[in-house]
Amino acid sequence: MDPLPYKLTSVPDYRDSSFDCLVIVGDDPTALGDGLSDLAPILTAYCQADAAVLEAGSVALIPSGPQGRLLFSNSGRLNRDQDDLRRLYDAAGAGLTRAVGAGARRPLLTVAKLASLPVGREPWATQPAADRAALLGAMQALYTPLELRDIGRRPKIDQLGFRPSSAGEAGESQLRLAAALEAGRILARDIGGSDPERMTAKRAAELIRSVLGEDAGVTVEVEERVDPAKYPLMAAVDRAASGVPRHAGCVVHLSYRGSGDCPQPLLFVGKGITYDTGGADVKAGGHMAGMHRDKCGAAAIAGLFRTLQLLRPPRVEAHASLAFVRNSIGSNSYVADEIITSRAGVRVRVGNTDAEGRMVMADLLCLMRERALGLPNPSAASLFTVATLTGHVIRAYGVNYAAAMDNGPARLKDTSARLQRAGDLVADPFEISTIRREDYNMVAPKTEAEDVLQCNNEPSSGTSRGHQFPAAFLIRAAGLDKHGLDSDRPIAYTHIDVAGSSGDYPDPATASPLLALAARYILPDLSG
């Protein structure tokens, strides 16, 4: 299977007449650089007729140029404190959207010489990074939802040409990398963005198996039911849905091991809530719409393994367990005040059934803790939970940012900070949060009957430290509190909340944090 639904080609000459629209992304339409200098008179004349083209975010479509259509998408300045590669990512997406709207089927994308790129002052400020961000932004705009492909909708274009700043082998390598990243994002968007009947737990597992099972490199194992003996907290969430065969949950396990020594095993747990009604603590007041996106954490990790499969990086070992469960309402729903003993032997008192994400991940995080302890050097491993977990993270940071937070051993590894720096290189930004004593106090037992409290009964967005204390719960419910800085067997653990960065419904799903994780862990030439 081709990794992309359209042909992606490297094009050395922007005058190539086999394309039907030239899309230029740049920060100044009157200063394109030597490589595009022939087009300067056309754009200069257009700017004199319409000065709006000089404004950041503008898109100008001119019926001229070597392909008969010339489009300039203005990123705006790049050298201010608030600027980053998303200026180019967004501009390329806007440009391709306009080109498709104009009827282009074979657009050619290129990035102009950027006059305001702060070379030497920001790690992301290089022309190759600008090329990569623009190409990824263009591809994001070209995604066609799975539901439309199911009914025969053709791809938005037939071919995407890209004129890279580096020709030859470097340019081809850039396209191969972008294609692998985009193929992973397509799988992630298909899972995360599709409606709750098209992407039930079983159908998500089938899609993952069909895509990843076509090629060697990644192993896929599916547990067709949620076993209460193995995953008691997850099974509680699955109770109401399990009586409806098409809604019953499952667990998907993925593994990849590259050639050579793999010094830093990566262990992921993904939240894949196929639909979140809130359970018995039902989401009211219209807050249920869009809850089919509650599976975007697991979706991003599945997509990351697609990228691993295509790139086959050496010295990388990665394992993932994905919890695909529907949080339904019914006579068999789990309810607040229940006390359930987790896989780790921790007695959990349920405080709010709408805090189901931490429930379905805690047992799998315990499974990954056990896996780490079975390694020759457990402290070399890095554990992650990835989830659209809280509304509070959106209240804290807005809709475009994931938040990462480390336990003590992960903080010593600088995990979140290095992930943030990697995300900056691929227009997938992160904020860093900290797990503090108040978070552990929040989930401390309130009676002698339980060991940990799952949640309070207020919305996370209205709770102080609403996106941090769930990480403390996960640490305690999974038994990771025995592997902190004070342990002789420390295990690094980082929780990533992508409720904001995964895509603000009804905007398209983004597949975040796939790009940042890939830049950090499987593309060493990017982040070191």
Side-chain angles (χ1 to χ4, degrees):
M1 174 190 287
D2 291 333
L4 300 179
Y6 46 82
K7 186 177 180 181
L8 177 65
T9 53
S10 179
V11 180
D13 189 344
Y14 73 87
R15 290 172 289 248
D16 191 323
S17 60
S18 64
F19 294 90
D20 58 8
C21 182
L22 175 61
V23 180
I24 303 174
V25 174
D27 55 357
D28 185 349
T30 66
L32 304 179
D34 294 340
L36 299 168
S37 57
D38 292 351
L39 302 174
I42 298 174
L43 277 166
T44 299
Y46 194 90
C47 290
Q48 290 172 350
D50 185 359
V53 184
L54 298 168
E55 299 296 322
S58 66
V59 179
L61 182 61
I62 307 168
S64 184
Q67 285 81 20
R69 278 180 288 212
L70 171 61
L71 191 149
F72 183 84
S73 188
N74 196 332
S75 67
R77 291 169 52 191
L78 302 163
N79 57 357
R80 298 165 298 181
D81 290 358
Q82 66 266 36
D83 296 322
D84 57 48
L85 281 176
R86 287 176 300 165
R87 299 280 187 198
L88 296 161
Y89 183 101
D90 294 344
L96 263 293
T97 298
R98 182 69 183 89
V100 170
R105 297 294 306 175
R106 299 180 309 282
L108 170 58
L109 174 68
T110 190
V111 180
K113 179 75 172 176
L114 299 165
S116 64
L117 192 67
V119 177
R121 286 178 281 161
E122 292 283 0
W124 52 264
T126 67
Q127 195 71 32
D131 281 3
R132 182 172 55 245
L135 187 51
L136 291 169
M139 290 174 161
Q140 169 78 7
L142 294 174
Y143 172 72
T144 300
L146 179 61
E147 293 97 333
L148 293 179
R149 304 200 315 267
D150 282 345
I151 61 173
R153 178 72 63 85
R154 65 190 292 206
K156 292 178 180 174
I157 61 170
D158 300 319
Q159 182 178 6
L160 175 62
F162 185 69
R163 175 183 170 270
S165 59
S166 300
E169 185 176 340
E172 292 295 337
S173 176
Q174 182 93 301
L175 262 64
R176 176 174 173 269
L177 167 60
L181 291 170
E182 178 60 11
R185 292 200 299 175
I186 288 172
L187 176 58
R189 294 191 207 104
D190 285 351
I191 298 169
S194 293
D195 80 70
E197 289 297 325
R198 176 61 181 88
M199 203 54 62
T200 62
K202 297 292 193 296
R203 297 188 78 179
E206 290 168 2
L207 178 62
I208 291 170
R209 195 154 28 194
S210 69
V211 174
L212 297 181
E214 293 179 352
D215 195 7
V218 173
T219 62
V220 182
E221 297 180 10
V222 179
E223 294 187 69
E224 300 291 349
R225 62 181 289 267
V226 180
D227 186 345
K230 295 171 67 174
Y231 313 118
L233 300 181
M234 191 191 319
V237 179
D238 184 51
R239 263 181 3 209
S242 62
V244 180
R246 75 179 190 279
H247 289 167
C250 66
V251 183
V252 177
H253 303 285
L254 306 174
S255 292
Y256 169 85
R257 198 181 196 289
S259 59
D261 295 334
C262 301
Q264 187 178 358
L266 306 171
L267 306 176
F268 296 100
V269 173
K271 174 187 173 184
I273 299 297
T274 59
Y275 197 75
D276 180 21
T277 67
D281 286 292
V282 61
K283 290 181 182 291
H287 295 292
M288 209 182 294
M291 285 298 105
H292 67 290
R293 294 282 187 87
D294 217 8
K295 55 192 182 303
C296 283
I301 298 307
L304 181 68
F305 276 75
R306 176 60 169 155
T307 298
L308 281 166
Q309 184 181 66
L310 291 169
L311 292 178
R312 304 286 179 90
R315 295 172 55 80
V316 174
E317 179 180 359
H319 307 276
S321 292
L322 311 178
F324 287 107
V325 180
R326 179 175 170 124
N327 189 22
S328 289
I329 308 168
S331 58
N332 204 26
S333 293
Y334 85 119
V335 296
D337 300 338
E338 284 191 49
I339 297 176
I340 307 167
T341 302
S342 75
R343 180 187 178 97
V346 177
R347 290 173 60 79
V348 174
R349 182 182 290 276
V350 177
N352 189 335
T353 64
D354 198 19
E356 82 297 329
R358 67 204 73 175
M359 295 281 283
V360 304
M361 291 193 298
D363 291 325
L364 292 180
L365 184 59
C366 178
L367 177 68
M368 288 303 184
R369 173 180 69 89
E370 295 163 5
R371 187 164 201 155
L373 290 173
L375 296 171
N377 181 12
S379 63
S382 290
L383 278 63
F384 298 88
T385 45
V386 183
T388 51
L389 206 67
T390 66
H392 185 273
V393 78
I394 302 173
R395 176 65 62 89
Y397 297 125
V399 297
N400 296 314
Y401 298 92
M405 53 211 87
D406 298 333
N407 74 347
R411 196 162 57 246
L412 289 180
K413 288 185 174 183
D414 211 20
T415 301
S416 289
R418 296 183 74 177
L419 189 59
Q420 183 186 58
R421 292 194 291 271
D424 288 343
L425 300 176
V426 286
D428 191 6
F430 268 80
E431 299 291 1
I432 300 173
S433 287
T434 306
I435 309 168
R436 298 191 182 275
R437 64 183 182 183
E438 288 85 356
D439 304 314
Y440 289 96
N441 292 340
M442 180 71 175
V443 300
K446 303 303 183 280
T447 76
E448 58 185 340
E450 72 266 9
D451 300 317
V452 66
L453 178 66
Q454 171 231 32
C455 191
N456 62 349
N457 202 245
E458 300 294 331
S460 71
S461 57
T463 301
S464 296
R465 305 187 64 80
H467 74 274
Q468 289 111 317
F469 82 81
F473 167 80
L474 284 163
I475 289 169
R476 286 198 164 157
L480 276 171
D481 54 337
K482 299 177 178 64
H483 302 281
L485 290 173
D486 58 339
S487 171
D488 58 357
R489 294 188 298 173
I491 297 176
Y493 163 62
T494 299
H495 171 58
I496 304 174
D497 192 334
V498 297
S501 65
S502 61
D504 188 27
Y505 180 78
D507 292 339
T510 65
S512 174
L514 186 157
L515 295 180
L517 288 169
R520 171 67 187 93
Y521 291 107
I522 68 177
L523 305 170
D525 291 343
L526 290 189
S527 63

